[in-house]
Amino acid sequence: PIWVVPIPYDLPKEQLLSLFKQLNGVLFPGGGADLNQTHYFYTQQYLLDLAMAQGVFFPVWATCLGFEALVIAAAGSYSILHTGFDSWNISMPLNFHPDPQSVRSHSKMFNKDNMPSEEMFNSFAKEAITLNNHHSGVLVRDWFANTRLNQIFRVLSTNKDRKGQEFISTIEAINFPVYSTQWHPEKVSYEWRADEDINHSYTSLLANQHMANFFVNECRKNDHKFADESELVNKWLIYNFTPEYTFKQEPDFVQTYFFPKSSQ
């Protein structure tokens, strides 16, 4: 089964390490949170450090806010983040870097083994199917000026906001199973506001769903298991929490989980 375990960001490091040793991967979601030297950021940084330790195959996916936290941690500076983008509620095709053929040959997410459909790959390059919902991001010029980022990650795509500012939109680590998008592959299937610029075509649904399928397959390569399955079932699984229907109050999200603070 594919089971989800929410990770409280305020857990002490000892409990985070214990969870890490029992999970098969971690997803850093999008959303809104302060990443400038906050507890939330340091928890993500700690988990990323564990995931990128030598000898451990531990997949990480980071979306939007997660992308930004990932890049700040890797760059070693909050200043890598640019906050002046006009890229809220806009779907675009990906500008593959340095070109589609290179990405198709050398990337993990988009290569012919993991994405055998040429039609699906071409849809990313030619159709507006990747939804961007961000004001912050990383300018292309700032990325390539940062030695640490270029040593750790391979840039797969860039995009431009409404003002023509070019930002990094898709990356993957060179030597680790770490993948990240500034855009939101999850929103295509689960957000249906009429005023959102989301491409809900069958092609778009399949292409964006591929990102989840790819990441889950990566997680299957990790053999971590919960030492006590009853603890997993009765304490940690997301089924122990009840989502609330919030579309009427906040139509960006049909359902929302409200997690209690960690007792630590």
Side-chain angles (χ1 to χ4, degrees):
I2 300 172
W3 282 346
V4 173
V5 171
I7 303 176
Y9 76 89
D10 56 344
L11 281 180
K13 284 188 175 181
E14 298 77 22
Q15 291 190 42
L16 287 171
L17 178 59
S18 176
L19 269 182
F20 174 85
K21 292 178 178 180
Q22 300 177 89
L23 297 174
N24 306 112
V26 65
L27 184 150
F28 299 145
D34 186 1
L35 299 176
N36 191 7
Q37 301 181 6
T38 60
H39 197 163
Y40 182 82
F41 167 74
Y42 287 133
T43 296
Q44 291 198 38
Q45 184 178 43
Y46 178 67
L47 290 170
L48 179 65
D49 288 343
L50 291 175
M52 298 178 73
Q54 294 294 331
V56 177
F57 186 92
F58 191 88
V60 173
W61 186 280
T63 298
C64 198
L65 180 75
F67 171 97
E68 293 160 14
L70 181 74
V71 172
I72 292 169
S77 173
Y78 180 80
S79 64
I80 191 67
L81 204 63
H82 176 73
T83 57
F85 286 110
D86 183 1
S87 46
W88 185 264
N89 190 26
I90 179 173
S91 289
M92 296 178 278
L94 297 176
N95 298 324
F96 285 118
H97 177 84
D99 56 68
Q101 287 71 34
S102 177
V103 171
R104 191 78 163 122
S105 299
H106 298 107
S107 76
K108 301 172 188 176
M109 278 189 275
F110 295 103
N111 69 28
K112 293 181 180 179
D113 291 332
N114 293 318
M115 184 185 284
S117 169
E118 201 69 30
E119 180 181 3
M120 181 180 290
F121 178 75
N122 289 335
S123 68
F124 277 108
K126 298 177 181 180
E127 300 181 39
I129 62 173
T130 64
L131 174 70
N132 290 265
N133 252 1
H134 59 97
H135 299 296
S136 299
V138 182
L139 289 164
V140 168
R141 66 169 183 266
D142 292 342
W143 176 284
F144 287 108
N146 188 290
T147 303
R148 291 178 56 165
L149 289 176
N150 291 286
Q151 289 175 339
I152 299 171
F153 294 104
R154 176 185 294 114
V155 173
L156 301 184
S157 75
T158 66
N159 280 102
K160 292 182 179 180
D161 73 353
R162 293 182 181 91
K163 296 185 290 187
Q165 298 181 106
E166 191 174 17
F167 60 89
I168 303 294
S169 54
T170 312
I171 60 174
E172 64 183 23
I174 298 170
N175 296 314
F176 304 94
V178 178
Y179 314 96
S180 190
T181 61
Q182 182 70 80
W183 44 281
H184 288 268
E186 82 288 349
K187 290 182 180 287
V188 173
S189 295
Y190 296 103
E191 288 192 18
W192 294 88
R193 286 178 54 174
D195 59 345
E196 284 189 313
D197 181 31
I198 300 179
N199 186 331
H200 291 294
S201 70
Y202 185 56
T203 298
S204 178
L205 288 168
L206 289 179
N208 281 276
Q209 181 61 40
H210 165 77
M211 298 295 112
N213 296 341
F214 166 77
F215 179 63
V216 170
N217 276 334
E218 288 291 276
C219 292
R220 289 190 174 101
K221 300 173 185 177
N222 176 285
D223 61 1
H224 288 179
K225 294 181 180 179
F226 260 75
D228 183 350
E229 186 168 319
S230 64
E231 180 186 17
L232 167 66
V233 171
N234 296 312
K235 177 181 178 181
W236 290 107
L237 283 184
I238 199 167
Y239 301 125
N240 289 288
F241 306 92
T242 303
E244 295 186 21
Y245 177 53
T246 53
F247 183 79
K248 295 178 181 179
Q249 295 78 31
E250 180 47 74
D252 273 346
F253 307 104
V254 177
Q255 289 184 313
T256 304
Y257 284 93
F258 297 94
F259 298 107
K261 290 194 67 174
S262 169
S263 60
Q264 300 190 21

